[in-house]
Amino acid sequence: MRREFPVTLAILTSAGLLLSACGNGLDRPEDSDSITGVETEKVTPSDIPSDSADQSVQRPDISLPADVKDVFEGWKTGNDEKDLILDDVARSQTAVNKAIVEGDVDAPGLSFYYAGEALITSAAFVQSWLDADLTYTGTTRYFNPRVELFDDESAGVSFCADETMAPNKDRRSGKVDEEPPSRDSYVLYNTRVEKDENGVWQTTSGLDVRGSAKCIQE
């Protein structure tokens, strides 16, 4: 379930966040859901992110078509700053998904919620779907987010994704892939986010690992 094209954000360049994950062509480090060198905090179960963003900032439309849905579970920590970060991380995931289903590597949501190497890699990821004439349908579930504030303008975020209900779909014929889900349908993400001049928490680097034991639901 979308395992042919795992999202791999940039190879980490910041010493402030050491990520335990892997992506296309990279060596696989030890499987871990923690942000190395810091204590992580689990959020309590909640519903999808509320629209708590600064209303003075004009944000791009990242609405998804009727057959595609993102669900974010436990996306509230009770800490206002961490919740704002998680809201923008959620939007960054939806921005990529919107770009995939619309087949638009220049989708405004990408440059709004991603920066630096992460922006380059996210656009390349969308292009890989276009090159394969694929899109997807269904629901992607994001859960178990953890946030660590490094300072006022940077943080580390890890979370899991469940793609078992989001099969690939041929972009031309509309035929849905009926192959059953596997371990690779579960993805662990580790990302670094930084606040831009408008107060938006942009993803700047990160890696993922598919089939992570930390995310697989037994």
Side-chain angles (χ1 to χ4, degrees):
M1 299 312 189
R2 289 198 279 162
R3 55 189 172 275
E4 293 88 348
F5 302 107
V7 177
T8 303
L9 302 176
I11 296 176
L12 195 61
T13 58
S14 171
L17 176 59
L18 302 178
L19 302 177
S20 301
C22 76
N24 287 340
L26 300 179
D27 292 335
R28 181 182 296 270
E30 181 181 357
D31 185 14
S32 171
D33 64 350
S34 65
I35 303 169
T36 304
V38 297
E39 293 296 323
T40 56
E41 173 183 342
K42 270 193 175 182
V43 298
T44 55
S46 181
D47 51 12
I48 61 175
S50 62
D51 189 12
S52 57
D54 185 350
Q55 298 301 309
S56 66
V57 179
Q58 185 173 358
R59 292 171 177 264
D61 175 22
I62 56 171
S63 58
L64 296 170
D67 69 318
V68 177
K69 185 177 181 180
D70 286 347
V71 174
F72 299 89
E73 296 179 358
W75 226 250
K76 292 297 177 186
T77 68
N79 177 287
D80 289 345
E81 191 65 17
K82 289 184 178 182
D83 288 347
L84 286 174
I85 291 171
L86 284 178
D87 282 355
D88 277 344
V89 169
R91 294 182 182 102
S92 71
Q93 291 297 116
T94 300
V96 168
N97 293 339
K98 180 180 177 67
I100 290 171
V101 296
E102 293 188 347
D104 184 6
V105 295
D106 296 317
L110 295 183
S111 58
F112 192 89
Y113 291 109
Y114 292 87
E117 290 298 321
L119 174 58
I120 296 171
T121 311
S122 63
F125 174 66
V126 174
Q127 184 63 53
S128 70
W129 285 80
L130 290 174
D131 293 343
D133 287 328
L134 287 176
T135 179
Y136 79 98
T137 188
T139 299
T140 305
R141 183 172 67 95
Y142 300 96
F143 61 100
N144 197 24
R146 298 167 182 240
V147 183
E148 181 66 28
L149 295 171
F150 298 144
D151 51 45
D152 291 341
E153 297 183 348
S154 64
V157 181
S158 68
F159 57 94
C160 292
D162 171 5
E163 300 176 351
T164 57
M165 297 181 291
N168 290 350
K169 183 172 70 173
D170 187 277
R171 194 175 293 275
R172 296 184 181 181
S173 69
K175 182 179 179 180
V176 176
D177 184 359
E178 296 181 357
E179 184 178 353
S182 70
R183 293 177 61 91
D184 284 347
S185 300
Y186 293 92
V187 192
L188 171 65
Y189 290 90
N190 273 302
T191 64
R192 178 183 176 87
V193 295
E194 299 180 13
K195 186 187 291 187
D196 72 2
E197 64 274 11
N198 295 315
V200 176
W201 287 93
Q202 295 181 314
T203 299
T204 57
S205 61
L207 296 172
D208 67 68
V209 56
R210 285 187 174 267
S212 169
K214 305 298 182 182
C215 297
I216 294 174
Q217 304 298 288
E218 301 295 343

